[in-house]
Amino acid sequence: MAAATRDLLVVGAGHAGVEAAAAAARLGARVAVVTLSLDTVAQMPCNPAMGGIGKGHLMAELDALGGVQPWAADRAGLQFKVLNRSRGPAVWGPRAQCDKQRYTVIMRRLLQRLAGIDIIEGEVSGLLDRAGRVVGVRLADGRRLEATAVLLTTGTFLDGILHTGAERRPGGRFGERPSVGLGADLRARGLELRRFKTGTPPRLHRASIDVERLQPEPGDAEPRPFSWRTRSVANRVLCWLAHTPEVVQSIIADNLHRSPLFSGQIQGVGPRYCPSIEDKVVRFPHHRQHTVFLEPEGLDCDSMYVNGLSTSLPADVQEQVVRAIPGFERARFLRYGYAVEYDVVAPLQVAPTLECRSLPGLFVAGQLLGTSGYEEAAALGFVSGVNAVLLARGEAPFVPERERSYLGVLVDDLCSADHREPYRMLTSRAEHRLLLGVDSARERLMPHGARLGLIPEAVFHVEQERWRRRREVRDELATRALNPDPPTRALVRRIAGVEPTAPTTWAGILRRQDVDAETVAAALPVLSGLTAEDRRAVLGGLRYDGYLARHQREVERLARLRHLEIPSDLEPADIPGLSREAADALRRHRPRTVADAERLPGVTPAAVAILIGRLSRARDALGRPSGSIAEGESCPES
């Protein structure tokens, strides 16, 4: 076939590839998507869910920018629940249980219907370059496809190997062959590849489980959608909660020598925050039981996902473990759990645009860049797809700011830190998480989506009016005085259950911890007229604005202190409160400044604050006047 030139060639049609192709096409680019099979577009090979803590924040931000994953998750959603409600709203994590087959169908139809996208079935075996720039790909059958830019989103397929006990077989995921030639080509071009590992639990037949003996886990009474495109969603299924009995510990301990994780068969590094059940037994021997969630994989299929039981143990051991759980005694296996080992592009080799520093024209996104999760993949796919188009046009790139978004945290972490394990988004990774709640995502990022042309002008105008109305309501609540005269005291007592003894405002009443803000809001016309989302945003802002203001000041203070130099003879182990992981990272890398230190894996925002405190006290001990500034040092907040 003669070479066909396009603006962007996307290799892989998983979550990153679909998001990148959709964004680029909607920006007017001519896009080709190369996939091993059209039937496996945007599959959910592991958990049948989207969102959660940290990941739900990414989806809210992606939706605000005009991404498609949140929209598709709403349409395929079976159960919706906000996690982490016991904490403040800034770290609430919306999550949806999805119909896996329906999600794939939705995304495949999207690619087929978007103007400017061609889908090509085939295996990419190498890159094409011209004058030091990547200009296309070579397929295993000899075809050559050319493009202005190439984006690799191969997921777990690059030299993938599946493991179940001692059994090893080539594969990117269950039932699918791996990509075997592309990795060698990337190495030959000087890219460093690393070996990572992930895993998945068994799938069980729905009718073989006695769910009457399990704890039901319903969705929220008032489910909330992910996307501004969705008016409402509904809960259509139940999930269930179970716990492994103590005997499971013994079963796994007796068979650890048969686990590819512990026999040395698997060399790849797995995700620290999503360990297999055998890894949990070894790492947490004092835990006598482990939580298991039973989740339907679709409305019209019999497959149940056993969340929390990821494993690569032999099939017979998996059967013993599963059938030891109360209610699972007669469980019938549809598929055994397995681990997949695959190659990734080592971080620090891509710029914040996600273009390879050493190979212009080549972009990388998704699990190939070392992430773990559908949401992280889609977010990176969006950034890479948009930037491939912008850079080809000679326009300024889109680089999300760390201080303004979880998406910025994700990109910055991957491009500036040498991560040696699969990266998963956590709220703890964001230093400024109090300012980055789900409810503020549109106000923070929708202006970027509108500027790019991915948010319709009419939609953006409606959202701007909502933000303006929120500000007006907050101002009204904060400025209308409530004097403690008898009628006012009686009114406040009836609505809020408290009596003001001094002049105050409704904002002051709503901030009180002994007041049910939702009950008060329902009685105040100025609030009851808002949508549930707007009312939640206003109430959250009122209740936490003191914390938010203080945090904003801390953000600005830390920004001024990032250039503090770290003495070469500082012993991190002597700093009280510093974790062993952070101390080891500081000792091993010996960063020159605080800014260098905060980019190291293991050095958390809390560790940075402790380090700054130590450096500030050491500076003060030298007798330096509080108002003086050493050369190259920022002035701290008084």
Side-chain angles (χ1 to χ4, degrees):
M1 180 183 291
T5 300
R6 296 171 174 86
D7 298 308
L8 177 62
L9 202 158
V10 180
V11 180
H15 300 282
V18 169
E19 202 69 55
R26 291 168 61 211
L27 289 176
R30 296 164 299 165
V31 182
V33 178
V34 183
T35 178
L36 292 172
S37 172
L38 187 59
D39 294 332
T40 57
V41 167
Q43 274 204 337
M44 302 172 73
C46 197
N47 199 324
M50 292 284 186
I53 302 168
K55 293 171 177 282
H57 291 76
L58 279 179
M59 291 188 70
E61 294 178 355
L62 183 59
D63 181 64
L65 289 164
V68 296
Q69 185 184 74
W71 162 83
D74 282 343
R75 276 146 187 77
L78 299 176
Q79 186 193 89
F80 297 81
K81 175 179 279 189
V82 176
L83 307 183
N84 224 19
R85 280 194 181 273
S86 62
R87 299 181 180 272
V91 293
W92 288 356
R95 183 181 187 268
Q97 193 76 19
C98 293
D99 187 312
K100 299 174 77 166
Q101 294 177 352
R102 177 164 170 73
Y103 185 88
T104 293
V105 169
I106 290 169
M107 286 302 206
R108 183 169 61 240
R109 288 177 178 171
L110 175 71
L111 287 188
Q112 291 171 328
R113 294 174 180 177
L114 271 176
I117 294 181
D118 295 323
I119 305 176
I120 301 169
E121 289 189 317
E123 179 184 344
V124 172
S125 59
L127 303 176
L128 303 176
D129 65 271
R130 187 179 301 125
R133 183 177 182 85
V134 174
V135 295
V137 300
R138 181 178 64 256
L139 301 188
D141 60 11
R143 285 179 290 174
R144 295 162 61 91
L145 306 173
E146 293 192 2
T148 303
V150 173
L151 169 60
L152 300 182
T153 66
T154 54
T156 59
F157 280 75
L158 209 61
D159 293 326
I161 297 178
L162 308 182
H163 300 262
T164 301
E167 179 187 355
R168 292 163 50 101
R169 57 194 185 279
R173 56 190 173 214
F174 182 82
E176 297 181 63
R177 69 182 190 273
S179 173
V180 295
L182 182 57
D185 185 80
L186 295 178
R187 284 192 179 91
R189 295 174 185 276
L191 285 185
E192 179 191 354
L193 302 185
R194 291 178 181 164
R195 202 71 171 157
F196 277 5
K197 167 261 173 188
T198 189
T200 190
R203 307 307 198 270
L204 307 178
H205 195 286
R206 182 191 303 260
S208 68
I209 302 167
D210 186 1
V211 295
E212 296 298 324
R213 297 170 62 191
L214 309 182
Q215 176 183 327
E217 288 287 315
D220 287 343
E222 297 182 7
R224 58 185 287 180
F226 287 112
S227 180
W228 54 264
R229 301 174 179 89
T230 307
R231 290 191 176 183
S232 64
V233 291
N235 293 319
R236 307 173 70 185
V237 298
L238 269 178
C239 297
W240 291 269
L241 175 68
H243 296 91
T244 61
E246 193 167 336
V247 68
V248 166
Q249 304 277 100
S250 301
I251 295 172
I252 292 174
D254 292 343
N255 288 278
L256 273 181
H257 63 286
R258 302 177 64 195
S259 166
L261 276 178
F262 294 94
S263 68
Q265 179 176 311
I266 291 178
Q267 300 298 314
V269 180
R272 183 191 321 182
Y273 301 104
C274 189
S276 65
I277 184 64
E278 54 265 40
D279 203 15
K280 285 190 279 190
V281 166
V282 170
R283 287 168 55 186
F284 311 109
H286 56 286
H287 289 184
R288 311 318 296 174
Q289 62 178 17
H290 298 277
T291 303
V292 173
F293 291 93
L294 192 66
E295 301 170 334
E297 294 201 305
L299 278 181
D300 301 318
C301 73
D302 294 319
S303 181
M304 302 291 278
Y305 182 89
V306 192
N307 195 343
L309 219 60
S310 176
T311 183
S312 56
L313 286 163
D316 63 299
V317 181
Q318 292 189 36
E319 292 180 359
Q320 292 181 57
V321 168
V322 167
R323 289 170 181 157
I325 301 172
F328 290 68
E329 292 88 351
R330 298 183 180 181
R332 179 151 57 92
F333 282 68
L334 298 177
R335 183 194 304 172
Y336 292 100
Y338 64 89
V340 56
E341 212 176 358
Y342 57 99
D343 283 343
V344 302
V345 174
L348 303 179
Q349 297 181 101
V350 296
T353 59
L354 302 188
E355 185 177 23
C356 283
R357 301 180 193 273
S358 61
L359 293 173
L362 179 66
F363 292 76
V364 183
Q367 278 188 279
L368 182 59
L369 198 52
T371 60
S372 172
Y374 313 139
E375 305 83 356
E376 291 90 340
L380 293 176
F382 180 90
V383 172
S384 57
V386 167
N387 279 321
V389 176
L390 295 178
L391 293 176
R393 291 176 179 173
E395 299 179 15
F398 169 63
V399 179
E401 299 172 291
R402 185 181 189 95
E403 294 79 8
R404 298 282 296 168
S405 65
Y406 278 90
L407 184 53
V409 172
L410 173 64
V411 171
D412 187 56
D413 279 352
L414 291 174
C415 298
S416 62
D418 191 22
H419 291 280
R420 294 183 174 270
E421 62 184 40
Y423 180 100
R424 177 180 181 178
M425 179 51 66
L426 307 166
T427 54
S428 60
R429 296 193 188 275
E431 303 92 321
H432 317 305
R433 55 189 172 275
L434 289 182
L435 306 175
L436 304 180
V438 168
D439 288 332
S440 68
R442 295 182 195 173
E443 199 162 357
R444 288 185 280 113
L445 292 175
M446 194 172 273
H448 291 291
R451 175 179 57 81
L452 291 168
L454 296 173
I455 296 293
E457 185 176 337
V459 171
F460 185 50
H461 176 72
V462 169
E463 289 294 329
Q464 286 179 304
E465 286 300 305
R466 291 179 63 191
W467 306 334
R468 181 188 60 79
R469 178 60 180 153
R470 289 179 187 178
R471 291 191 294 269
E472 287 181 347
V473 169
R474 285 196 59 177
D475 289 345
E476 184 173 347
L477 292 171
T479 56
R480 288 185 58 183
L482 294 174
N483 294 314
D485 53 71
T488 301
R489 292 173 64 183
L491 173 66
V492 174
R493 182 174 62 251
R494 177 173 58 82
I495 294 176
V498 297
E499 285 193 33
T501 58
T504 185
T505 63
W506 280 117
I509 297 295
L510 287 164
R511 289 191 186 101
R512 292 181 55 155
Q513 296 299 313
D514 57 348
V515 167
D516 185 333
E518 287 291 345
T519 300
V520 176
L524 296 180
V526 66
L527 279 168
S528 61
L530 297 178
T531 65
E533 180 182 346
D534 290 336
R535 186 165 61 250
R536 188 169 58 242
V538 170
L539 293 177
L542 286 174
R543 177 147 289 190
Y544 294 96
D545 62 356
Y547 297 100
L548 297 177
R550 188 161 62 246
H551 185 72
Q552 184 62 48
R553 291 194 298 270
E554 181 66 10
V555 167
E556 295 165 358
R557 185 182 76 88
L558 292 177
R560 292 195 295 270
L561 289 171
R562 280 178 174 160
H563 298 293
L564 275 175
E565 291 191 4
I566 302 174
S568 59
D569 60 350
L570 178 70
E571 178 46 60
D574 294 338
I575 302 178
L578 201 62
S579 70
R580 179 182 300 177
E581 184 180 17
D584 288 345
L586 292 172
R587 185 186 305 106
R588 185 168 59 253
H589 296 280
R590 290 294 174 185
R592 188 179 64 85
T593 66
V594 171
D596 296 332
E598 67 182 349
R599 296 181 184 278
L600 297 176
V603 179
T604 64
V608 170
I610 292 170
L611 179 61
I612 286 176
R614 174 60 177 263
L615 296 176
S616 298
R617 287 192 296 273
R619 178 200 54 202
D620 295 340
L622 294 174
R624 186 176 305 158
S626 60
S628 67
I629 308 174
E631 184 178 354
E633 181 182 321
S634 299
C635 179
E637 182 184 56
S638 59

